[in-house]
Amino acid sequence: MQTASCLIDDVLSTVAVKSGYKFTAVGVAGAGGLNVTYTATAVPSVVGQSGQRAFFTDQSGVIRYDASGAAATASSPAL
């Protein structure tokens, strides 16, 4: 279903790796089965080579980062 909805490109919907980053997205179902919250992350495949910073966002729309390339979280600094 996700690949048919055309919300993200074909590469990300199948392998979750693009432009040197590994992407994840997780939705949390609320009432009626609708996703009401989510988290999305992007982490460099090889820190210092494919990218330096890791990124995080959620339903707040704030993009957060970790300068070391480790997984960013909801408590990481905002861009």
Side-chain angles (χ1 to χ4, degrees), residues 12-79:
L12 289 178
S13 68
T14 56
V15 297
V17 177
K18 187 171 182 179
S19 299
Y21 279 82
K22 181 176 189 270
F23 293 86
T24 60
V26 177
V28 178
L34 298 175
N35 287 344
V36 294
T37 63
Y38 72 90
T39 61
T41 60
V43 180
S45 299
V46 180
V47 175
Q49 185 177 352
S50 63
Q52 185 59 46
R53 297 184 292 177
F55 299 94
F56 169 92
T57 192
D58 60 16
Q59 66 283 347
S60 71
V62 176
I63 300 171
R64 300 184 176 277
Y65 73 97
D66 183 286
S68 72
T73 67
S75 60
S76 297
L79 282 178

